[in-house]
Structure formats: C-alpha cells, structure tokens
Amino acid sequence: MTTIKNIYDYINTISPFDTQEEWDNSGFLLGEFRKEVKVVVLSLDGTKEAVSFAKSVNADLLLTHHPVIFNGLKKIEKDSAVYELIKSGIAVISVHTPYDKAKGGINDTLAQMLELKNTYTLSNGYLVAGELRQEMSIDDFADFTAQTLDSKGLRYTDTDKLIKRVCVGGGACSEYMWDAFENADCFVTGDLKYHEMLDISEAGFAAVSAGHFETENLPFLKIKDRLEGIFTDVQFVAAPVMNPIRDV
C-alpha cells in the first residue's frame, strides 16, 4: 500500500523540501498524510480546472509545481480550488523551488529537451548551461524552442551571431540573466519584460522568452516517469490543462 507520506518521502529524496527559498511554500500542504493513494494527478498549477479533473478521476492526491497555497489564506471561499480540494478529500503536495534546481528537475529537464550536451549548473543553483549539437541562427533556434516546448507566444532578441552555448532557466529567472550571458550565447527562460529584453539586445546578447507555462509544464510532468517507476500500484495522470493565457 502506498501512502501520501511515501510519495512525499520519495520526492524529498530527489528534491529536498528544505532547499526551498524562504518565500516559497513547497511541501505537504493539504489533506491526510497517512492516506492510501491509488490515483495521483499532476499539474503545473493547482487551478480550478486541474482540481475539477482530479475530482473526475477520483484522485487521492494532486501533485503540483506551483504551490496551491502560496501566501497566507485569510478565508477559503466556496468554489475556490482549495475549497474543492478540501471538500473532495484530495490531498496536495507542491514542489516548487526545490524541483527547479534539483538534479533531474525543471531546469535539467529543460536543457535535455533542448538537446543540450556537456551541461552544468551555474553557481546560483538554478540555471543550467550547455552546448547545442550544432550551431544555429537565432531564428532557427527560436523556432526549434517553440516547437519543442509548444510555445506559441515566444519572443526573442535578434542577433547575427550563431548560437552554440545556451543557458536555460524555466519560469521566472530574469534576475539571473547576466549570469546566463557569462556562460552562454543565448538565454532561454519564461518571463522576460520588454525593458529586460531591450537591455539584452543593447548589450549584444540573444534571449528567448518562451513563456512561464511552456518552460515549466512539460519539464515538470516528466517527474511522472520517475514516480511510475517507484510506485507501481499507483496510477499517475497528467491533468489535460493548457496554458490559460491565450495568444492571438
């Protein structure tokens, strides 16, 4: 019999919860710790859509990347995601910043999906740098990134230089962008603001802003394969949730 604690303990071995940033809220967030688990739903975010799907498949546990409870809750309103989780008896584990920087976590997996080789983690603990199998123009690399991550709203800065070394940081990693350019020709991340991209362009570097959801969703869902290899008596299901932010 597999319990929520068993799954929590395993995740803690590959992505220790005590490595989270102090502003984060990763861990066991809701439910009964010793409850038996037969169905687990995985979702980048604990949205109402993800919770509705979890209810439809009689899930015992919702495993998310972004914490379902982030800031202190002052009230729990009817029909909110947290309300529905409690009402349905669905437990929650969220693994955010620990899995961003874990070996085999978000950024390692993002680098693998972009086919980088000779990869290494930067000293900030988050970004991963490596080499493309062959040099590419920024147009070709941006197109390759968009197709790989299913990113329809991708933006990038132009350059005549060929891209060979790439640094990746899924989600919101703009604070590390100058670290990235000390190690690579191009920085791939999720959320870059206009003025950040303007500064990058003025400095002569290349950057690809591929979307917060797109740079983390597929890399997060890869944890499903690892969990299935350990807990063979549990069904793991990825919630069929798309990026709620649409592009024209």
Side-chain angles (χ1 to χ4, degrees):
M1 181 183 81
T2 296
T3 66
I4 290 169
K5 184 180 184 302
N6 295 146
I7 293 176
Y8 173 92
D9 288 343
Y10 171 71
I11 294 174
N12 195 39
T13 64
I14 64 171
S15 178
F17 288 105
D18 63 7
T19 64
Q20 68 182 288
E21 301 295 336
E22 62 178 53
W23 49 262
D24 194 11
N25 193 35
S26 291
F28 172 66
L29 302 186
L30 193 157
E32 184 182 343
F33 207 36
R34 305 282 178 178
K35 179 182 178 180
E36 182 180 3
V37 178
K38 295 182 178 179
V39 180
V40 176
V41 167
L42 297 91
S43 179
L44 183 70
D45 300 289
T47 60
K48 288 192 286 186
E49 183 181 5
V51 173
S52 178
F53 176 76
K55 289 169 58 178
S56 74
V57 297
N58 297 315
D60 304 294
L61 173 66
L62 176 65
L63 175 61
T64 70
H65 181 51
H66 297 133
V68 170
I69 302 172
F70 215 138
N71 301 312
L73 289 176
K74 294 186 177 180
K75 60 180 177 179
I76 300 174
E77 297 188 43
K78 183 180 179 181
D79 297 328
S80 68
V82 173
Y83 177 91
E84 291 298 328
L85 287 163
I86 295 172
K87 180 181 175 182
S88 304
I90 301 173
V92 176
I93 294 174
S94 298
V95 54
H96 187 207
T97 54
Y99 199 60
D100 282 329
K101 52 192 172 182
K103 190 66 178 174
I106 292 287
N107 292 321
D108 268 353
T109 304
L110 181 57
Q112 183 181 38
M113 291 178 66
L114 294 177
E115 300 180 2
L116 302 185
K117 61 181 183 179
N118 301 324
T119 58
Y120 62 93
T121 302
L122 273 59
S123 60
N124 59 49
Y126 284 97
L127 305 191
V128 175
E131 301 174 357
L132 292 171
R133 297 185 182 278
Q134 61 182 28
E135 291 183 329
M136 304 173 71
S137 69
I138 186 61
D139 293 336
D140 287 343
F141 178 65
D143 183 62
F144 166 68
T145 301
Q147 292 187 42
T148 301
L149 303 180
D150 193 24
S151 176
K152 297 177 176 60
L154 181 147
R155 299 175 299 131
Y156 62 99
T157 61
D158 198 11
T159 180
D160 292 330
K161 300 176 183 176
L162 291 177
I163 306 302
K164 178 62 176 178
R165 297 195 56 78
V166 175
C167 192
V168 302
C173 283
S174 61
E175 64 192 284
Y176 304 119
M177 65 186 190
W178 300 118
D179 293 341
F181 295 127
E182 290 180 2
N183 292 269
D185 309 311
C186 183
F187 179 36
V188 178
T189 190
D191 301 320
L192 285 174
K193 297 178 181 178
Y194 169 78
H195 286 287
E196 290 169 337
M197 296 190 78
L198 185 62
D199 289 343
I200 290 167
S201 179
E202 290 286 288
F205 294 114
V208 175
S209 185
H212 197 125
F213 180 91
E214 289 79 5
T215 54
E216 290 191 322
N217 184 55
L218 293 177
F220 174 67
L221 294 179
K222 293 288 186 181
I223 197 174
K224 178 174 177 286
D225 297 334
R226 302 170 79 173
L227 291 166
E228 287 175 332
I230 300 295
F231 302 103
T232 56
D233 61 332
V234 178
Q235 181 183 7
F236 293 92
V237 186
V241 177
M242 298 178 65
N243 187 348
I245 301 170
R246 298 288 187 259
D247 296 297
V248 175

